Amino acid sequence: MKFDVRAEVIAVLPHLRAFARFLTGHRERADDLVQDAVVRALTAAHQFQPGTNFKAWMFTILRNLFYNEGRKARMKTDSLDDMNEAQHSMGPTQESGLEFDDFRRAFWRLTEEQREVLILVGASGVSYEEAAEICGVAVGTIKSRVSRARSQLTRILSGTEMGSRLEEAGPIPAEMAAFLALGGSPGKRS
């Protein structure tokens, strides 16, 4: 069966968008990053080795573009639209909305490396080996980054660092605990 790079790109597109959104934190910037990654992948399709992991290849292209872009523009500026997108004009009345806001703030307090591995391994379902290939580091490095990121999130969400009402709320909500677990034990992913 012949390898169809366009069909593969379409299949991985939602995963690329999610990864780009978490890398950038901005919808428009993420869409631009995905578009650039797709253009670069289609242009370099002859370099892809059929039979290898296409999703990891695409994630690597997107990740490299993101970091190259960051090197070019060291100063980050937020538009008013971006600032309004991340803030509620009126606080949500549901407890889960408040909990998610706490989680989002805690997530963005992690280092870029920690956010990246949580998105790759947890949200995108990439194996530790694939994440190591994408990030260009050893598998053990990915495992320790995931472990440190989980611990840091747990510490932020259950401690006084947030300065939030989570202290009064008691234990970490089940939805957040499930996300922190990222799909189960590390043994399932390795």
Side-chain angles (χ1 to χ4, degrees):
M1 182 159 54
K2 188 174 184 217
F3 181 78
D4 183 5
V5 71
R6 291 174 193 252
E8 293 295 323
V9 166
I10 291 170
V12 78
L13 209 51
H15 302 286
L16 288 175
R17 281 197 82 227
F19 185 46
R21 181 73 191 263
F22 277 103
L23 284 175
T24 64
H26 302 284
R27 183 180 313 137
E28 294 83 11
R29 193 166 160 222
D31 288 343
D32 291 343
L33 185 62
V34 169
Q35 181 178 352
D36 292 345
V38 168
V39 168
R40 184 161 296 179
L42 292 174
T43 303
H46 64 281
Q47 295 176 355
F48 177 73
Q49 300 289 326
T52 60
N53 189 331
F54 184 79
K55 185 176 180 182
W57 186 69
M58 287 296 301
F59 272 56
T60 302
I61 291 171
L62 186 128
R63 179 182 183 271
N64 290 343
L65 282 170
F66 172 73
Y67 286 114
N68 288 340
E69 198 178 271
R71 282 191 218 51
K72 290 177 187 172
R74 287 283 179 206
M75 244 167 85
K76 180 180 178 272
T77 58
D78 289 332
S79 70
L80 291 176
D81 293 333
D82 292 337
M83 290 172 31
N84 288 335
E85 177 184 319
Q87 299 172 352
H88 299 288
S89 59
M90 186 171 123
T93 56
Q94 308 90 343
E95 186 68 22
S96 61
L98 295 172
E99 291 167 351
F100 184 75
D101 285 346
D102 287 340
F103 175 79
R104 189 183 69 233
R105 282 192 304 273
F107 183 79
W108 286 105
R109 290 185 63 189
L110 298 175
T111 66
E112 270 187 19
E113 290 175 340
Q114 290 173 332
R115 287 193 310 264
E116 179 179 58
V117 295
L118 286 180
I119 296 306
L120 285 172
V121 174
S124 298
V126 172
S127 72
Y128 287 132
E129 290 79 12
E130 292 168 335
E133 182 183 331
I134 290 167
C135 296
V137 297
V139 174
T141 302
I142 294 295
K143 289 180 179 181
S144 50
R145 284 180 186 173
V146 168
S147 177
R148 286 186 192 118
R150 288 176 180 166
S151 297
Q152 179 72 1
L153 264 180
T154 302
R155 188 170 58 76
I156 291 170
L157 288 169
S158 62
T160 58
E161 283 190 43
M162 288 290 291
S164 73
R165 46 154 217 26
L166 279 181
E167 294 171 287
E168 308 141 14
I172 296 173
E175 295 82 11
M176 283 188 233
F179 185 83
L180 291 174
L182 295 174
S185 67
K188 289 184 179 177
R189 298 219 186 268
S190 57

